[in-house]
Amino acid sequence: MRPVEYMTRIRDNYAKLGYKPYQWVINDEPPPWQPLRKPLSECRLGLIASGGIYVTGQVAFHFKDDTSFRAIPTDVRTADLRTAHFAYDQTDARQDPNVVFPIDTLRRLVKEKVIGSLTAHAYTFMGGIYSSRRVREELAPQLTERLLAEKADVALLVPV
Amino acid sequence: MGLIARHLEAAGISTLCMGSALDIIKAGNPPRAAFLDYPLGHTTGKPHQPELQREILVQALEGFSSMTVPGSVKMLPFRWSEEDEWKRTAMMTGDSRTPRNDTPQYQTDEDRRRAEENNPEACPVCEISA
């Protein structure tokens, strides 16, 4: 069976809730391209996830155009991870955050030398942001600045 | 996430964007993408299945070296179940979108108490020290 077409359904869901139509960003221009400079086993990887993950003790995400992000130490205790998200069924993510925030998997792959190392922090936000301008002008540059400061060679992005 | 991937890539950081919504991935058109045909909320695997989670990530990460065409999507060879019943349900409902509030939505009351003790106003990015 072919993949589910979510955009149509999600548009309908917003309409049912009485919100104005959500506009996905459609990037027609070819994406930029940075070839890997060295083998992945020597690269420092930064994880960015949009599943609304936070650590207990941090402020949770809210559900109305939340463009904030959280810095999560990559040596965090998995049991301290939480989720706050308006759009997906969090049942499984709350039992095992690795389904949307693969922190144990990445730590294991570092041990196995598949990946060189992880940045000091992973970064999380919530997505579903109405303003693509704010993502383009605020969130994306801020996250890029963080990953550059933590000397990431590569980034793994995990949306929900 | 496509916008963020493109921003990072332009700054010299190679990116790989995973995803379980193929139409949304394609619209965002990130430099490299890996599609996992699982229900939303399982972008990197099934709960408490570390071997499967590892295999999914290893195959996705291989895209960093194997993908050579900007904007391509690697189709990961995993199926959620023999039956595609979940897809029929997802086609009917999309996601489980809820009304929007602008107050923090804590998973537990204990989380709220701890966060409030930490004086969130002083901590815009909420890095924890402990």
Side-chain angles (χ1 to χ4, degrees):
Chain A
M1 205 170 156
R2 64 188 165 78
V4 178
E5 286 168 21
Y6 284 103
M7 287 161 80
T8 320
R9 293 278 76 82
I10 292 173
R11 270 193 202 104
D12 295 347
N13 289 352
Y14 271 121
K16 272 184 232 157
L17 290 166
Y19 295 110
K20 62 182 179 178
Y22 186 83
Q23 296 289 337
W24 276 272
V25 174
I26 297 175
N27 290 312
D28 291 328
E29 295 292 308
W33 189 254
Q34 172 60 60
L36 224 54
R37 291 194 179 89
K38 51 190 173 186
L40 193 60
S41 57
E42 295 170 23
C43 286
R44 191 189 309 278
L45 182 145
L47 169 65
I48 298 180
S50 71
I53 298 99
Y54 66 98
V55 185
T56 183
Q58 294 183 327
V59 175
F61 293 95
H62 64 72
F63 292 178
K64 193 175 177 187
D65 267 5
D66 191 340
T67 54
S68 69
F69 62 89
R70 306 287 176 271
I72 299 184
T74 45
D75 61 357
V76 66
R77 270 166 30 104
T78 310
D80 287 343
L81 294 168
R82 305 284 188 270
T83 72
H85 202 285
F86 69 103
Y88 74 96
D89 182 344
Q90 296 162 86
T91 311
D92 286 345
R94 287 179 169 180
Q95 287 180 27
D96 179 6
N98 286 290
V99 302
V100 291
F101 185 74
I103 189 66
D104 290 322
T105 323
L106 287 172
R107 290 193 284 227
R108 177 174 169 186
L109 293 177
V110 169
K111 271 192 193 142
E112 294 177 5
K113 301 193 188 331
V114 175
I115 301 166
S117 59
L118 301 179
T119 53
H121 298 91
Y123 291 91
T124 59
F125 62 102
M126 206 192 56
I129 299 162
Y130 261 93
S131 170
S132 62
R133 183 190 58 78
R134 289 182 64 193
V135 175
R136 190 178 284 114
E137 294 176 8
E138 297 170 23
L139 188 57
Q142 285 170 355
L143 292 173
T144 302
E145 193 181 305
R146 292 270 173 158
L147 258 62
L148 287 172
E150 297 193 16
K151 303 203 178 328
D153 302 299
V154 298
L156 177 68
L157 310 184
V158 182
V160 167
Chain B
M1 204 55 113
L3 279 176
I4 293 167
R6 294 164 74 103
H7 206 278
L8 287 162
E9 193 94 12
I13 297 175
S14 311
T15 62
L16 187 128
C17 187
M18 301 199 53
S20 297
L22 189 58
D23 55 346
I24 298 174
I25 294 177
K26 286 185 171 168
N29 195 10
R32 296 169 205 77
F35 171 65
L36 179 66
D37 201 2
Y38 275 11
L40 296 185
H42 307 88
T43 320
T44 47
K46 296 183 180 183
H48 301 301
Q49 296 197 27
E51 297 309 316
L52 174 69
Q53 292 169 1
R54 179 190 178 280
E55 193 53 32
I56 288 168
L57 220 53
V58 164
Q59 293 211 25
L61 291 171
E62 275 172 0
F64 273 118
S65 46
S66 65
M67 298 171 93
T68 53
V69 180
S72 23
V73 182
K74 178 173 181 169
M75 308 297 273
L76 298 175
F78 301 92
R79 261 185 97 176
W80 178 256
S81 57
E82 289 298 309
E83 291 295 317
D84 280 334
E85 189 55 37
W86 71 268
K87 286 194 186 180
R88 278 179 274 278
T89 309
M91 300 268 195
M92 297 293 291
T93 56
D95 58 4
S96 38
R97 212 148 280 253
T98 49
R100 303 194 146 200
N101 305 305
D102 57 6
T103 53
Q105 303 292 305
Y106 290 96
Q107 183 173 326
T108 65
D109 288 339
E110 176 66 10
D111 288 351
R112 177 188 302 280
R113 194 187 58 71
R114 286 185 188 162
E116 286 172 356
E117 276 176 7
N118 282 351
N119 184 17
E121 286 75 17
C123 175
V125 186
C126 306
E127 295 188 38
I128 55 161
S129 51

